[in-house]
């Protein structure tokens, strides 16, 4: 497994409210992008706490129990998400310190993701490149009016509500597959066709290179991304 990641403040924001985590051991890995929600009192505190908590889980729980099966470990990751949400709500109050979460866990030939908010995970293999998460935004709610003033508003994030809503799924993973985790500071400023084309080139290449990841970031910067931007590329 090869992993490269970038997390930058960008040219417009005064602080970086994004956090990333990249942990690998052999063919196992825990990767996440957390994007502090703009408008909350302290999005950076939320995203940092998410990354810090999962880093501690990896160092203390996973490494000790890495011979455990995938599904028992994945359940622990889901439990941690609920615990983080509760901690943020108790410390700051619901909606005061919030962050998206796009988390990918790979272990024993299986991957699982957790997603809350509008950070994304893409998967690329012989079937092509496609997002495997869905943005938790107003217009994606059942029956929502796409023309509403609420369009684009995040409706789920860690720390936003006392009851956390997230999506998750698992599947087998195969050698050579590529995953991309990214904040909206990347995908909103890179055309979808361009992003998928880059992922397909990563999949066809024998090795994932840092240069390929940097070129994707450069595209967003050249298109004048006005947000913090974070991404992690993973080749199995």
């Amino acid at each position: 497994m090869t992993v490269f990641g970038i997390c930058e403040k960008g040219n417009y924001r005064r602080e970086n409210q994004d956090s990333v985590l990249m942990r690998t051991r052999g063919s196992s890995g825990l990767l996440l992008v957390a994007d502090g929600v703009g408008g909350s009192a302290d999005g950076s505190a939320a995203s940092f706490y998410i990354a810090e908590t999962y880093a501690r889980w990896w160092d203390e729980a996973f490494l000790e129990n890495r011979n455990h099966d995938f599904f028992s470990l994945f359940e622990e990751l889901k439990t941690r998400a609920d615990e983080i949400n509760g901690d943020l709500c108790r410390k700051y109050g619901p909606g005061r310190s919030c962050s998206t979460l796009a988390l990918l866990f790979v272990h024993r030939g299986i991957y699982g993701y957790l997603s809350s908010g509008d950070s994304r995970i893409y998967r690329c293999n012989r079937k092509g490149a496609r997002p495997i998460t869905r943005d938790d935004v107003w217009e994606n709610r059942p029956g929502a009016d796409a023309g509403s003033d609420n369009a684009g508003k995040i409706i789920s994030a860690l720390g936003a509500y006392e009851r956390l809503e997230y999506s998750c799924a698992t599947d087998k993973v195969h050698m050579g597959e590529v995953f991309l985790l990214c904040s909206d500071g990347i995908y909103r400023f890179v055309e979808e066709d361009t992003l998928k084309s880059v992922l397909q080139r990563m999949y066809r290449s024998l090795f994932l290179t840092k240069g390929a990841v940097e070129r994707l970031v450069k595209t967003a910067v050249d298109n004048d991304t006005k947000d913090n931007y974070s991404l992690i590329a993973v080749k199995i």
Side-chain angles (χ1 to χ4, degrees):
M1 180 185 300
T2 308
V3 178
F4 290 108
I6 296 174
C7 182
E8 296 290 346
K9 176 174 68 69
N11 297 325
Y12 292 88
R13 299 295 177 92
R14 288 180 296 179
E15 66 170 337
N16 190 356
Q17 294 198 346
D18 292 3
S19 294
V20 301
L21 176 68
M22 297 175 285
R23 293 287 191 273
T24 62
R25 185 182 179 95
S27 59
S28 300
L30 176 63
L31 306 311
L32 71 81
V33 167
D35 179 358
V37 176
S40 64
D42 197 346
S44 59
S47 67
F48 178 81
Y49 184 61
I50 291 169
E52 178 186 50
T53 301
Y54 278 116
R56 191 163 56 248
W57 176 86
W58 176 271
D59 293 338
E60 297 176 359
F62 175 78
L63 292 181
E64 180 179 347
N65 301 310
R66 60 185 180 272
N67 291 325
H68 288 193
D69 68 282
F70 169 89
F71 293 100
S72 63
L73 293 168
F74 192 55
E75 285 300 315
E76 291 185 21
L77 294 174
K78 291 192 285 185
T79 298
R80 290 296 187 282
D82 287 320
E83 292 173 348
I84 292 168
N85 184 71
D87 290 345
L88 291 172
C89 287
R90 282 189 294 272
K91 182 174 182 179
Y92 298 97
R96 297 290 296 167
S97 181
C98 316
S99 174
T100 70
L101 172 64
L103 178 150
L104 181 73
F105 178 55
V106 182
H107 183 59
R108 298 195 164 207
I110 306 173
Y111 84 82
Y113 75 77
L114 298 178
S115 174
S116 183
D118 64 350
S119 293
R120 290 183 182 176
I121 303 178
Y122 291 79
R123 182 185 187 186
C124 186
N125 52 28
R126 59 183 178 81
K127 296 180 181 179
R130 61 205 179 280
I132 58 174
T133 58
R134 182 178 182 180
D135 299 345
D136 293 320
V137 292
W138 175 266
E139 57 268 32
N140 285 340
R141 296 182 64 171
D145 177 7
S148 167
D149 292 339
N150 289 318
K153 182 180 178 180
I154 294 175
I155 58 174
S156 177
L158 275 71
Y161 304 98
E162 291 183 355
R163 181 178 180 274
L164 174 64
E165 293 185 3
Y166 60 82
S167 60
C168 62
T170 64
D171 197 3
K172 292 182 179 179
V173 68
H174 303 284
M175 290 294 293
E177 286 193 285
V178 172
F179 292 87
L180 178 74
L181 298 78
C182 61
S183 66
D184 62 345
I186 293 292
Y187 69 76
R188 291 187 190 277
F189 296 88
V190 179
E191 291 185 1
E192 188 78 356
D193 288 346
T194 299
L195 192 152
K196 290 179 178 179
S197 177
V198 170
L199 289 176
Q200 288 168 343
R201 288 199 297 273
M202 290 179 181
Y203 173 68
R204 291 192 297 267
S205 298
L206 186 58
F207 301 105
L208 176 66
T209 66
K210 185 177 181 180
V213 178
E214 291 174 335
R215 283 192 294 274
L216 190 55
V217 170
K218 185 177 185 300
T219 301
V221 172
D222 288 347
N223 287 335
D224 205 27
T225 180
K226 292 179 172 59
D227 201 352
N228 308 145
Y229 52 83
S230 302
L231 79 165
I232 300 171
V234 186
K235 189 173 178 70
I236 306 299

